Amino acid sequence: MGEDGYTESIHGTDYTPPEISADILRKLKNDAEGYLGDDAAEAVVTVPAYFTIKQTSATKDAAEKAGFENTHLINEPTAAALAYGNGKDLDETLLVYDFGGGTLDISVIEVSDDEYNVLATDGDNDLGGSNFDKALMNLLAERYKDEKGLEILDDAEVRANLRTQAEETKIDLSSDEETEAIAPFLGQIEGEIIDLTEIDNTVTRETFEQETQDLRDRAIDPVEDALDKAKLDTEDVDTVLLVGGSTMIPSIQDRIEEFVGIEPTQTLDPDKIVAQGAAVYAQREINPGYRCAECGKEFDTLLELNDHYDEDHSSDDSDALECPQCDEEFDSNDEREAHISK
């Protein structure tokens, strides 16, 4: 993102990262509008904490191309911290460990009186779950070569299918001590069907951890650097908040606990916590207003909308009360307000 001249080829057509991002955001915008039955003019977009000005500018351009009139950018670790702290009276130092599919992002955040102050950030742009997938790919490819005498990573189709199988194997090993990489057809090379069930396809968690030891060591370096920037020691950290699917790897959790000295917190789904934090940010910082579904008039509070609907749109010949947003009917105003507040 933000790199001049970089493109990705999709079905023979070259696209820039902002163009791909715009398509994704446009799809999300259309989905939201279809669900809400209203325009989605503003967006909260989360970005890595280490994004440069050029990268954030490219992200805003993508949102504009997607049709958003206003775009609010928030760092992903800060969004995660907002989701974690929502509704709580926190007074602590958070270390947000955001380990996704392609990047590692560390933030040290001080929380007090519902204020979130980022003390330091660090990360690794080239380290993520895909590196662990690649380690398993290499392991299985080496076994295939040893047992069948064929180098399977040279074939694009086989390599792509093997990457998918490696990721599934990695996910299985997050809950199981061992698993089998079952892929009876990865493709064909010189007429030979590439079948992982014909080789030793059992992978234990211990083997996986041995193959990825260097990656786990790399995954700790940015933590140390972020704490150094914040002029803090591990003893100053009150909570380690895990974010991103790669934090589900048990050895990653163990390595973090070993380094920081406290058990990491995973109170929210690490795959969803950033999105939840973006929603919290939108609720706190953006005044969306409330629009009457009958006449389009807008109000600052839900109470004002309810009063308007009762006065101007309630039917005199019916005891039912309708939700002004989805038209569902209720027998009492309390039931309707409880429905709207969900």
Side-chain angles (χ1 to χ4, degrees):
M1 199 67 161
E3 182 179 334
D4 292 337
Y6 181 85
T7 61
E8 280 286 339
S9 180
I10 302 176
H11 301 304
T13 302
D14 290 337
Y15 297 91
T16 65
E19 287 174 331
I20 297 174
S21 180
D23 283 342
I24 295 172
L25 290 171
R26 190 177 297 112
K27 173 64 165 60
L28 294 173
K29 184 176 188 292
N30 291 338
D31 288 348
E33 290 175 341
Y35 178 80
L36 297 170
D38 202 352
D39 293 335
E42 292 188 77
V44 176
V45 180
T46 62
V47 296
Y50 52 79
F51 252 24
T52 64
I53 293 176
K54 198 170 186 179
Q55 288 172 314
T56 55
S57 177
T59 303
K60 283 197 170 186
D61 289 343
E64 184 177 346
K65 290 177 181 177
F68 289 108
E69 297 174 8
N70 294 303
T71 304
H72 308 263
L73 300 186
I74 178 174
N75 292 338
E76 291 166 357
T78 304
L82 281 171
Y84 170 73
N86 189 38
K88 302 176 183 175
D89 184 18
L90 297 182
D91 185 8
E92 60 184 76
T93 299
L94 292 175
L95 190 149
V96 182
Y97 190 92
D98 185 357
F99 200 17
T103 60
L104 173 62
D105 200 1
I106 309 298
S107 288
V108 181
I109 302 175
E110 187 178 63
V111 186
S112 181
D113 296 328
D114 208 26
E115 294 290 332
Y116 293 74
N117 180 31
V118 179
L119 301 179
T121 63
D122 207 277
D124 190 331
N125 293 352
D126 300 312
L127 180 63
S130 59
N131 298 84
F132 289 77
D133 299 340
K134 188 175 180 180
L136 284 173
M137 286 176 62
N138 291 336
L139 173 67
L140 294 169
E142 287 173 8
R143 288 183 180 179
Y144 204 96
K145 185 176 181 179
D146 290 342
E147 297 183 32
K148 306 284 283 187
L150 194 61
E151 176 57 72
I152 63 175
L153 291 179
D154 291 339
D155 185 88
E157 179 187 6
V158 172
R159 187 169 60 251
N161 290 332
L162 183 59
R163 181 182 298 109
T164 299
Q165 182 58 54
E167 183 180 12
E168 292 175 0
T169 301
K170 176 190 68 179
I171 292 171
D172 288 343
L173 290 173
S174 291
S175 55
D176 301 326
E177 289 295 329
E178 71 173 46
T179 188
E180 291 183 339
I182 302 175
F185 184 79
L186 291 177
Q188 284 184 294
I189 298 178
E190 299 178 356
E192 179 178 335
I193 294 177
I194 308 304
D195 181 359
L196 290 184
T197 63
E198 295 182 354
I199 66 168
D200 177 13
N201 63 347
T202 299
V203 182
T204 65
R205 184 182 292 179
E206 181 181 4
T207 298
F208 175 55
E209 291 176 355
Q210 290 172 351
E211 295 292 322
T212 56
Q213 176 64 51
D214 61 325
L215 299 178
R216 294 200 307 280
D217 291 340
R218 279 180 60 188
I220 287 298
D221 292 341
V223 176
E224 189 171 7
D225 293 341
L227 289 173
D228 286 344
K229 290 178 182 178
K231 295 180 172 54
L232 297 176
D233 296 321
T234 54
E235 293 82 3
D236 299 315
V237 176
D238 298 300
T239 300
V240 177
L241 183 61
L242 299 183
V243 180
S246 295
T247 62
M248 296 181 185
I249 299 174
S251 58
I252 289 294
Q253 298 176 12
D254 293 342
R255 187 71 180 86
I256 296 169
E257 182 175 358
E258 176 188 343
F259 180 79
V260 182
I262 56 176
E263 183 178 357
T265 298
Q266 218 168 6
T267 56
L268 297 173
D269 186 335
D271 281 329
K272 297 178 181 178
I273 187 172
V274 171
Q276 291 170 325
V280 172
Y281 177 86
Q283 184 182 44
R284 288 164 55 112
E285 305 297 334
I286 304 171
N287 181 13
Y290 296 89
R291 179 179 296 176
C292 175
E294 295 287 341
C295 66
K297 190 173 181 181
E298 293 189 353
F299 300 88
D300 292 332
T301 67
L302 184 59
L303 180 59
E304 291 175 338
L305 172 61
N306 286 344
D307 290 343
H308 159 77
Y309 194 81
D310 289 340
E311 294 172 4
D312 296 347
H313 299 297
S314 292
S315 173
D316 294 333
D317 57 359
S318 173
D319 293 331
L321 295 170
E322 291 184 354
C323 170
Q325 296 171 321
C326 69
D327 296 334
E328 185 175 345
E329 293 186 349
F330 300 90
D331 294 329
S332 71
N333 193 55
D334 288 343
E335 291 179 355
R336 185 183 67 176
E337 290 189 359
H339 163 77
I340 294 174
S341 64
K342 289 181 180 179

